């Protein structure tokens, strides 16, 4: 189990923010919603951080969480997600 410091989580987010927002934007086609999804995903990563043993694991977890949050949005709107990226 890895213990992430606040600085490490902040650095992780700063280093990957563009990639993660771009990922959400490709799915949602809405910049403000994409940014909101990335922030929500970051909260989930912070809660799961003790179980994420590396930055690569955290990044993969973040991408999957973003996709799941986007699917949730589409379901609420009654739309079908297109996750072919």
């Amino acid at each position: 189990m890895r213990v992430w410091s606040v600085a490490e989580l902040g650095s992780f987010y700063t280093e990957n923010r563009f990639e993660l927002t771009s990922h959400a934007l490709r799915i949602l086609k809405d910049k403000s919603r994409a940014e909101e999804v990335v922030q929500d995903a970051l909260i989930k990563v912070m809660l799961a951080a003790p179980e994420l043993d590396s930055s690569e694991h955290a990044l993969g977890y973040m991408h999957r969480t973003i996709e799941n949050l986007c699917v949730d949005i589409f379901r609420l709107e009654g739309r079908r997600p297109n996750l072919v990226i």
Side-chain angles (χ1 to χ4, degrees), residues 10-11 15 22 31 39-42 50-51 59 61 76 82 85:
S11 177
E15 290 171 13
S22 295
K31 186 176 180 180
Q39 290 175 3
D40 290 346
L42 180 63
E51 298 161 14
L59 187 58
Y61 183 90
L76 285 171
N82 179 10
I85 300 170

Side-chain angles (χ1 to χ4, degrees), residues 2-18 20 38 42-43 45-46 49 55 58-59 62:
R2 177 178 176 179
V3 178
W4 291 72
S5 70
V6 173
E8 288 174 318
L9 284 169
S11 177
F12 168 79
Y13 178 71
T14 301
E15 290 171 13
N16 297 290
R17 181 178 60 213
F18 179 78
L20 296 166
V38 171
L42 180 63
I43 291 169
V45 165
M46 289 169 27
S55 293
L59 187 58
M62 189 89 164

Side-chain angles (χ1 to χ4, degrees), residues 18-68:
F18 179 78
E19 173 187 343
L20 296 166
T21 304
S22 295
H23 182 77
L25 185 58
R26 279 191 299 274
I27 299 168
L28 295 172
K29 311 286 192 259
D30 182 322
K31 186 176 180 180
S32 64
R33 287 180 117 184
E35 291 171 349
E36 186 176 322
V37 162
V38 171
Q39 290 175 3
D40 290 346
L42 180 63
I43 291 169
K44 290 184 180 286
V45 165
M46 289 169 27
L47 295 172
E51 298 161 14
L52 305 173
D53 55 3
S54 68
S55 293
E56 292 80 19
H57 189 189
L59 187 58
Y61 183 90
M62 189 89 164
H63 276 284
R64 174 52 70 192
T65 301
I66 286 168
E67 290 172 9
N68 290 339

